[in-house]
């Protein structure tokens, strides 16, 4: 884990604040600084409470009410925090961030188009919202698409040939578009 420059500057500043409080601060200001540093660093420094006055044997719990009653213990604990911060700057005692498990995502874009030209023609002929002339026009476009798809042209050439059909299709109803678009996808 790389420590950001701003965080390193904050650590250096906190080390200086500890020196100032130990030499010239009163009990209440030392206690306030201790609580602030505890809140800031206990999550990122390994075994933060270990070795401190009023911590349990394993160093994972600190008994704050008892600690506050002993101002000399607070000063000693601040000295210990200073040492831990000095070491932390070099990542020697940092808590390792849990590594998220690698996730692999495989996406397959297989489109199975199982609609036939005959099925689409029947669907268009069954649309009651179309006039006879509109139905004939759409069936002519379906024939045009079928010719392009069945040709031996390259894929790029086929798409060039059906561009006018796409422009024409943009002007048609949703139902007509839904019926014809799967045919265009057969170009692949």
């Amino acid at each position: 884990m790389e420590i950001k420059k701003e965080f390193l500057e904050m650590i250096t500043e906190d080390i200086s604040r500890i020196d100032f409080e130990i030499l010239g601060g009163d009990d209440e200001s030392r206690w306030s600084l201790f609580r602030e540093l505890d809140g800031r660093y206990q999550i990122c420094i390994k075994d933060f409470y270990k070795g401190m006055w009023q911590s349990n044997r394993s160093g994972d719990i600190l008994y704050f009410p008892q600690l506050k009653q002993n101002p000399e213990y607070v000063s000693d604990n601040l000295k210990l925090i200073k040492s831990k911060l000095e070491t932390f700057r070099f990542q020697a005692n940092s808590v390792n961030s849990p590594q998220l498990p690698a996730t692999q995502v495989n996406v397959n874009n297989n489109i199975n188009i199982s609609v036939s030209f005959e099925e689409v023609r029947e669907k268009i002929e069954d649309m009651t919202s179309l006039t006879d002339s509109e139905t004939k026009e759409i069936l002519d476009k379906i024939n045009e698409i079928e010719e392009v798809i069945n040709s031996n042209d390259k894929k790029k050439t086929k798409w060039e040939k059906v561009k006018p059909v796409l422009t024409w299709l943009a002007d048609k109803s949703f139902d007509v578009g839904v019926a014809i678009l799967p045919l265009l996808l057969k170009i692949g």
Side-chain angles (χ1 to χ4, degrees):
M1 173 178 98
E2 184 181 330
I3 298 179
K4 292 187 176 187
K5 180 183 173 198
E6 295 85 3
F7 193 61
L8 285 171
E9 290 170 355
M10 183 176 66
I11 292 170
T12 303
E13 185 179 310
D14 286 338
I15 290 170
S16 297
R17 289 173 61 204
I18 291 170
D19 286 337
F20 177 78
E21 286 299 328
I22 290 173
L23 292 175
D26 59 27
D27 291 344
E28 195 56 43
S29 64
R30 279 193 285 274
W31 174 250
S32 178
L33 178 62
F34 176 82
R35 294 290 288 157
E36 179 184 337
L37 298 178
D38 170 62
R40 183 173 297 151
Y41 297 111
Q42 63 135 321
I43 191 72
C44 53
I45 296 178
K46 185 177 181 181
D47 299 324
F48 186 75
Y49 293 140
K50 205 170 243 181
M52 288 190 185
W53 288 103
Q54 300 301 326
S55 67
N56 65 352
R57 285 183 188 233
S58 60
D60 56 356
I61 297 174
L62 191 69
Y63 302 103
F64 287 94
Q66 292 87 344
L67 182 61
K68 187 169 183 185
Q69 294 172 2
N70 295 294
E72 66 279 359
Y73 290 173
V74 174
S75 293
D76 285 348
N77 284 354
L78 282 171
K79 290 175 190 174
L80 185 58
I81 290 174
K82 176 184 174 188
S83 299
K84 290 183 181 210
L85 288 175
E86 289 169 338
T87 307
F88 182 70
R89 286 191 289 192
F90 300 101
Q91 293 292 285
N93 61 345
S94 65
V95 172
N96 293 331
S97 299
Q99 296 296 320
L100 297 176
T103 303
Q104 184 175 351
V105 176
N106 295 322
V107 177
N108 295 321
N109 288 333
N110 295 331
I111 300 172
N112 186 11
I113 302 169
S114 60
V115 64
S116 71
F117 285 94
E118 227 19 77
E119 291 171 334
V120 175
R121 285 184 187 103
E122 287 175 19
K123 187 184 276 188
I124 295 298
E125 289 172 349
D126 290 342
M127 288 185 183
T128 57
S129 61
L130 299 174
T131 65
D132 287 340
S133 64
E134 289 172 327
T135 302
K136 184 181 178 333
E137 178 187 22
I138 294 168
L139 291 174
D140 288 343
K141 291 296 180 185
I142 292 172
N143 293 336
E144 188 178 328
I145 295 168
E146 187 174 26
E147 283 179 32
V148 170
I149 289 174
N150 291 332
S151 73
N152 291 330
D153 294 333
K154 292 181 181 178
K155 186 173 162 180
K156 185 176 180 178
T157 306
K158 289 180 180 183
W159 277 110
E160 287 296 323
K161 287 183 178 180
V162 295
K163 273 186 183 179
V165 175
L166 286 170
T167 305
W168 167 85
L169 189 58
D171 228 11
K172 300 302 168 203
S173 71
F174 177 79
D175 293 336
V176 172
V178 168
I180 293 180
L181 279 176
L183 297 176
L184 292 171
L185 293 175
K186 286 185 176 229
I187 293 173

